[in-house]
Amino acid sequence: MESLLSYRNSECEALKDPSYLELVISILILVGLLISYLPQHYRIISRGTAEGISPYFVLLGTTSATSGFANILTVPQSRAAIGCCKELEAFQCTAGLLGVAQLGTQWVCFTLILVLFLIFFRYRDATIPSEELAGESPKWQTAVGVGLACVVHGLLVVIITGIFTIALPNHLTAWANFLGVMATVLAAIQYFPQIWTTYHLKHVGSLSIPMMCIQTPGGLLFAASLYARLGPKGWSTWAIYLLTAIMQGCVLVLGIYYEMAARHHERQQSNQNADGTYSSLQNSAPPRPSLASRTYSEGWERGLPGPFTGHPERYAETEEDLDDIQEREQRAIERENQPLLRPGGIGNPRKNYRTTKKR
């Protein structure tokens, strides 16, 4: 007990003089975690479906986040920081609990993904065209099973943590270590089902590429910072973040590749459709008549009538105009290739229309 009190006093003294560099980094990580999950939440809601997101990825991610949050709450450092808040100012207490806030934010954000998955796991409620959906939606039994497993896991963690805190406080650290190992194992295998789902569907669906673009380099930087502080001997701490970032990077590479391939295919289809439409318009355009047969346009600038005018002398002001009208009429007669009484024309060539029937 005395060792615990001395450890708590030393922790309280350290929290009274926080490192502003670590404080800024911790705040940036906290804000980055929050921002990185927002594109994922928005994408699921905007598409009206969780298509493309593996239910087992959601299950493993939620249980891992729950275990990690419970771990950070029960480790001796966090318990000491929480106890020191009674003696510290608000700023000092907040700075000391930023690590708890980080994992708490991650747990809330991933739990929200679970909630959105349970709401939008059906494809029939999607707000996007059915052509953009791939594969089959998870069965309702699978979705309910994922939700129940996450709830049962969370309740068990809370109950067992309460038992250790109240009845077995000396073993609480061992339970915290067990939670840390559980979170590590679940996080290590979390992305395997998602990699398989993305590879099988050949597109990301509702999985957010911007989220992975933020979290993948962030995880690598976080693992590098842990390695710089702990060295090779602290591999059990930084290796999990390195592995998680690599696995998430694999999903990111697959997603970017399939998205670029899909857009390239769409551009090719649009170009082919545009070329086909232009060709069909050209082929369907009616042939323009020859200008040589347009005798009606001759003399229009002089106000002369067209050919076959009944009384051309009424329109001709001079002898020259009358000759022009008659010449145009003669040219039109010479161009005529289907007289009215020729077979196929108007009338019957074998009938004499001048004869009258005798009574």
Side-chain angles (χ1 to χ4, degrees):
M1 182 65 67
E2 293 180 358
S3 60
L4 180 60
L5 290 176
S6 61
Y7 176 78
R8 175 181 171 181
N9 292 332
S10 62
E11 284 291 321
C12 293
E13 290 297 327
L15 292 175
K16 290 180 180 179
D17 187 19
S19 172
Y20 289 97
L21 178 60
E22 294 181 1
L23 178 63
V24 171
I25 294 176
S26 299
I27 293 176
L28 290 177
I29 293 175
L30 177 62
V31 175
L33 277 173
L34 181 61
I35 294 176
S36 67
Y37 279 101
L38 292 180
Q40 181 61 77
H41 301 156
Y42 172 77
R43 184 167 177 82
I44 296 176
I45 296 173
S46 62
R47 299 180 86 239
T49 177
E51 179 257 348
I53 299 179
S54 171
Y56 304 106
F57 166 76
V58 176
L59 171 63
L60 295 172
T62 304
T63 52
S64 175
T66 302
S67 301
F69 187 36
N71 167 263
I72 196 67
L73 288 174
T74 53
V75 293
Q77 295 87 343
S78 297
R79 284 183 285 158
I82 294 173
C84 291
C85 284
K86 300 176 182 178
E87 307 173 6
L88 301 175
E89 298 179 358
F91 173 76
Q92 296 171 341
C93 179
T94 303
L97 295 179
L98 279 177
V100 177
Q102 290 170 0
L103 293 184
T105 301
Q106 185 179 18
W107 176 77
V108 171
C109 291
F110 214 101
T111 302
L112 184 55
I113 293 178
L114 169 66
V115 174
L116 293 176
F117 172 80
L118 295 177
I119 296 174
F120 297 107
F121 74 92
R122 296 183 181 90
Y123 289 5
R124 65 187 182 188
D125 300 328
T127 58
I128 58 175
S130 58
E131 294 80 8
E132 298 184 15
L133 301 174
E136 297 180 356
S137 62
K139 298 180 180 179
W140 69 268
Q141 295 92 336
T142 302
V144 172
V146 168
L148 287 177
C150 293
V151 171
V152 171
H153 174 267
L155 290 176
L156 288 176
V157 169
V158 171
I159 293 172
I160 297 175
T161 301
I163 293 175
F164 275 103
T165 302
I166 298 173
L168 302 169
N170 295 331
H171 300 281
L172 186 58
T173 301
W175 170 245
N177 293 333
F178 175 78
L179 290 173
V181 173
M182 182 189 300
T184 300
V185 173
L186 293 174
I189 62 176
Q190 171 185 354
Y191 284 94
F192 282 105
Q194 186 57 56
I195 291 175
W196 166 251
T197 300
T198 304
Y199 174 77
H200 179 69
L201 297 180
K202 298 296 187 293
H203 80 145
V204 293
S206 295
L207 192 64
S208 174
I209 290 181
M211 178 194 71
M212 294 185 289
C213 287
I214 298 173
Q215 291 186 355
T216 299
L220 293 174
L221 290 175
F222 190 47
S225 66
L226 290 176
Y227 177 82
R229 285 189 294 171
L230 303 177
K233 294 182 179 180
W235 65 270
S236 60
T237 301
W238 53 260
I240 178 58
Y241 295 99
L242 178 62
L243 178 61
T244 302
I246 292 175
M247 300 295 289
Q248 192 175 43
C250 293
V251 180
L252 177 61
V253 171
L254 284 176
I256 293 176
Y257 172 76
Y258 291 135
E259 285 297 307
M260 292 179 63
R263 293 185 180 182
H264 179 68
H265 179 70
E266 290 178 0
R267 285 196 296 268
Q268 286 184 334
Q269 288 292 109
S270 62
N271 292 336
Q272 291 178 359
N273 293 337
D275 294 341
T277 303
Y278 180 73
S279 300
S280 62
L281 289 175
Q282 283 187 327
N283 295 333
S284 61
R288 300 182 64 180
S290 175
L291 295 177
S293 63
R294 293 185 174 183
T295 58
Y296 63 85
S297 63
E298 298 180 17
W300 67 270
E301 70 279 358
R302 296 164 56 188
L304 299 180
F308 309 111
T309 302
H311 302 279
E313 64 276 2
R314 295 184 179 180
Y315 300 94
E317 297 180 357
T318 62
E319 291 293 333
E320 183 181 356
D321 292 341
L322 182 60
D323 293 339
D324 288 343
I325 294 175
Q326 293 175 349
E327 290 178 1
R328 284 192 292 118
E329 183 176 348
Q330 186 63 33
R331 288 197 299 272
I333 293 173
E334 293 175 356
R335 293 191 185 99
E336 182 63 49
N337 56 10
Q338 187 174 348
L340 295 179
L341 297 182
R342 178 175 294 182
I346 301 176
N348 188 348
R350 296 180 177 83
K351 182 177 180 180
N352 187 0
Y353 290 93
R354 294 184 179 181
T355 60
T356 57
K357 186 177 181 181
K358 295 182 180 181
R359 296 182 180 180

